[in-house]
Amino acid sequence: MHVEPHLGPRGANYSPLSPVDFLDRAVSVFPNRQAVIWRDRRFTYGQFGAIVQRMADLLEARGIGSGDVVSIMCPNRPEMLAAHYAVPLLGATLNSVNTRLDESTVSYILEHSESRLLICDETCEGISSASARNANVPLLVLPDEPTHEGEKLFLLDGPTPPVRPFKARIEDEWHPIALNYTSGTTGKPKGVVLHHRGAYLNGIGNTLALGFDKQTVYLWTLPMFHCNGWCHTWAITAAGGTHVCLEKVDPELIFELIGKHGVTHMSCAPVVLYMLINHPARSSYQPTNRVSVATGGAAPTRTLIAEMDALGFDFIHLYGLTESYGPSSMRELEASETALPLEDRASLLAQQGSRHPTSNIVRVVDKNLEDVPFDGETIGEIVLQGNTLLAGYYRDPEATETVFEGGVFHTGDLAVRHHPDGHVEIKDRSKDIIISGGENISSLEVEGVLHQHPAVLLAAVVALPDSKWGEIPCAVLELKPGASTTPEELEAFCRSKIAGFKIPRRFIFQELPKTATGKIQKFMLREELSGKASG
């Protein structure tokens, strides 16, 4: 068959892909269905659509339009969710800012992104106000109650604007929908530009892969500012589910909300789950239904899986980056695997699995970009190709060309592929491999062993320079409340499970530096410990 000129896209058979369309459908098809729960308030999709329109109208009145960047520094509350629709429907780009960043970093983001406006919650007003002044950016504050005081913006109540198609102004699916700055696990943040097309596809992919539907009640334990909540800000709406907004991670409140609202899904870093299993409120929690919990950033340990299973949680291990709109692959247990011994289940869930339906092609390649054997042993770099990848790094063409070198996206993660299913399992970040006496040591492998010790809550293993061995592994540990151990005990514990050259030569007990989403910042540990190198 040959392609004829009349066989192409036109107004009747083409519409740019955008997750804003999910809200258009929700408001028109099920306007009375419960959309958002926040504190003691509930909003239907019709009411939530009105909040979005009021926000869009206010932004437009302030001159916000196509090509502008609007920043928001806010915990998980309805207006934060609304911003994921109100900003892009104007053709503007949403810049969600980590609420735990310091003034200098927020100022840098506002300046680098060329932000036209910063919206903040009252809990973030101090740093937001100072950063906005530094960057000469106007500030709007979201109060809890109606007010007309100063630059305050209350959107939850008010007149219902005329129903207008939210997607009407979106003409190009490659137009930037979000500008997200990397979490800082590797140093200075870079501006990741995401487009409408990728956000739409990853939203649909998450809906299919994680089983979101109209019965879904999603508890926002994951910050919406983190990679747009892994695109779940859009995915839950696409499914017609309910968003339960949670402003801070409080284990007692999490247990309460799960029971009160019949939560079916949540997402978070493993550190949040460790908080749950070690909190006194756990003892009085009585699960009434199973909860699917999607976790990423570190593989769940056997202890965590056992403890959470007893509380009624089913694990899904996700893998992705800010640059891939969040989840790019996943590993969950098949029905035939759920009855396996705990050790086997933990081993399977430690894998990053395979791509989800609309995500990127996931490969593990050698230095020549050739696929490594599916033998579970040969280590290569994970590279991605597909529709859910960043357009590039904002104002950084050199970094963009580097990360896309060879026609693939380089993640920097080192992994193997298992036979025969081809599931991916990360062994380490390229920068986190420790080379001691010519031997490669996976910091993740050593951390996995340390997490099995009953006293250890969190472990991070980094390289220390050493005059004899080049590098030696150093373990930095947070212990469980009330627990204690010694370097000698930990060394003996490790010796029973891994080769001698992999055992940490030093054990340090302190709180680990983390991002707002619970990722351990190893680069900060390396900087902190660099002065403690052996001579």
Side-chain angles (χ1 to χ4, degrees):
M1 176 180 175
H2 59 279
V3 178
E4 299 174 317
H6 67 280
L7 302 176
R10 60 186 72 203
N13 67 4
Y14 170 77
S15 177
L17 300 179
S18 172
V20 173
D21 198 31
F22 301 150
L23 185 58
D24 267 332
R25 173 177 176 268
V27 170
S28 63
V29 177
F30 39 84
N32 297 318
R33 187 180 297 173
Q34 183 169 262
V36 180
I37 299 173
W38 178 57
R39 300 181 184 174
D40 60 351
R41 302 198 62 176
R42 296 170 182 256
F43 303 91
T44 65
Y45 270 104
Q47 292 169 329
F48 179 63
I51 295 171
V52 170
Q53 190 62 65
R54 284 196 290 271
M55 178 178 279
D57 289 345
L58 182 139
L59 294 176
E60 189 170 32
R62 287 178 167 266
I64 300 299
S66 182
D68 292 330
V69 173
V70 176
S71 303
I72 184 166
M73 191 171 182
C74 182
N76 295 342
R77 53 184 286 173
E79 299 95 330
M80 179 63 166
L81 181 63
H84 282 77
Y85 299 89
V87 173
L89 75 82
L90 294 173
T93 302
L94 181 65
N95 168 226
S96 299
V97 182
N98 186 327
T99 60
R100 289 176 58 184
L101 294 178
D102 58 86
E103 179 184 328
S104 63
T105 305
V106 176
S107 300
Y108 167 79
I109 289 173
L110 294 177
E111 292 170 352
H112 187 268
S113 68
E114 301 171 300
S115 178
R116 286 284 312 280
L117 177 70
L118 174 60
I119 302 170
C120 77
D121 178 87
E122 287 181 322
T123 61
C124 305
E125 189 172 0
I127 288 180
S128 295
S129 179
S131 302
R133 284 196 303 272
N134 295 339
N136 194 29
V137 173
L139 179 71
L140 283 176
V141 182
L142 299 171
D144 283 353
E145 301 294 337
T147 180
H148 300 289
E149 177 187 347
E151 292 296 297
K152 300 285 185 178
L153 170 64
F154 190 79
L155 295 165
L156 298 185
D157 299 322
T160 300
V163 177
R164 285 171 275 177
F166 293 114
K167 190 186 165 186
R169 303 191 200 185
I170 299 168
E171 300 177 350
D172 183 2
E173 61 187 28
W174 292 99
H175 190 78
I177 190 172
L179 175 58
N180 296 328
Y181 281 77
T182 52
S183 61
T185 56
T186 57
K188 195 171 185 178
K190 297 192 291 288
V192 177
V193 179
L194 306 181
H195 44 73
H196 284 254
R197 174 183 173 83
Y200 178 96
L201 290 170
N202 210 43
I204 291 292
N206 282 320
T207 301
L208 294 171
L210 300 177
F212 298 152
D213 60 23
K214 63 182 180 181
Q215 306 299 328
T216 294
V217 180
Y218 186 89
L219 179 61
W220 274 102
T221 44
L222 177 73
M224 293 182 196
F225 65 69
H226 179 51
C227 197
N228 307 109
W230 296 350
C231 288
H232 295 171
T233 45
W234 300 303
I236 302 303
T237 300
T242 300
H243 301 264
V244 180
C245 294
L246 179 69
E247 293 163 279
K248 63 178 181 179
V249 174
D250 178 341
E252 188 171 2
L253 184 55
I254 289 173
F255 284 129
E256 177 188 334
L257 293 176
I258 290 174
K260 182 178 181 180
H261 300 303
V263 169
T264 61
H265 294 78
M266 55 186 274
S267 305
C268 59
V271 65
V272 175
L273 303 180
Y274 284 113
M275 291 171 65
L276 291 178
I277 65 176
N278 288 292
H279 195 276
R282 171 195 173 168
S283 60
S284 58
Y285 174 66
Q286 297 295 326
T288 57
N289 59 280
R290 303 291 293 184
V291 178
S292 292
V293 55
T295 185
T301 65
R302 62 182 297 277
T303 301
L304 184 60
I305 291 170
E307 296 275 8
M308 294 303 290
D309 182 70
L311 288 172
F313 289 81
D314 297 318
F315 269 100
I316 300 174
H317 188 191
L318 301 179
Y319 166 72
L321 309 91
T322 302
E323 290 89 340
S324 64
Y325 296 76
S328 195
S329 73
M330 59 180 288
R331 182 65 165 98
E332 61 181 338
L333 295 178
E334 303 291 341
S336 60
E337 297 170 336
T338 57
L340 291 173
L342 180 59
E343 291 285 356
D344 293 338
R345 282 184 282 145
S347 177
L348 293 173
L349 286 171
Q351 300 171 13
Q352 281 66 35
S354 302
R355 59 179 285 194
H356 70 58
T358 60
S359 187
N360 306 290
I361 295 172
V362 182
R363 299 169 58 205
V364 180
V365 301
D366 60 22
K367 292 181 180 179
N368 298 317
L369 298 184
E370 298 290 335
D371 291 273
V372 301
F374 287 27
D375 58 9
E377 296 181 1
T378 306
I379 294 179
E381 183 190 11
I382 298 177
V383 296
L384 306 175
Q385 293 170 283
N387 294 297
T388 55
L389 286 171
L390 75 164
Y393 294 114
Y394 189 53
R395 301 172 64 183
D396 197 341
E398 294 81 8
T400 301
E401 291 304 313
T402 298
V403 82
F404 282 121
E405 186 177 357
V408 296
F409 175 79
H410 293 265
T411 67
D413 289 319
L414 304 180
V416 299
R417 300 204 76 159
H418 288 275
H419 179 80
D421 53 32
H423 283 315
V424 171
E425 181 176 1
I426 289 180
K427 292 301 181 182
D428 224 329
R429 291 283 296 172
S430 57
K431 62 180 65 65
D432 292 333
I433 283 285
I434 301 165
I435 304 175
S436 184
E439 297 282 359
N440 287 353
I441 301 172
S442 165
S443 65
L444 293 183
E445 179 187 3
V446 183
E447 288 164 6
V449 170
L450 290 167
H451 278 131
Q452 296 176 36
H453 191 280
V456 173
L457 177 63
L458 292 172
V461 175
V462 297
L464 282 185
D466 184 84
S467 57
K468 179 178 180 180
W469 300 104
E471 294 178 335
I472 57 171
C474 172
V476 186
L477 305 137
E478 278 189 38
L479 301 184
K480 295 178 181 177
S484 63
T485 186
T486 64
E488 293 76 19
E489 180 183 325
L490 289 167
E491 181 179 347
F493 182 81
C494 291
R495 193 171 299 280
S496 67
K497 297 180 180 294
I498 53 175
F501 72 90
K502 298 179 181 180
I503 298 172
R505 303 296 182 89
R506 295 190 181 185
F507 294 91
I508 298 173
F509 304 100
Q510 66 176 55
E511 183 177 355
L512 294 168
K514 308 176 193 73
T515 68
T517 54
K519 292 183 180 179
I520 296 170
Q521 296 173 303
K522 286 190 175 181
F523 82 96
M524 291 185 65
L525 282 178
R526 283 190 285 265
E527 292 174 359
E528 178 185 338
L529 300 175
S530 60
K532 301 181 181 180
S534 58

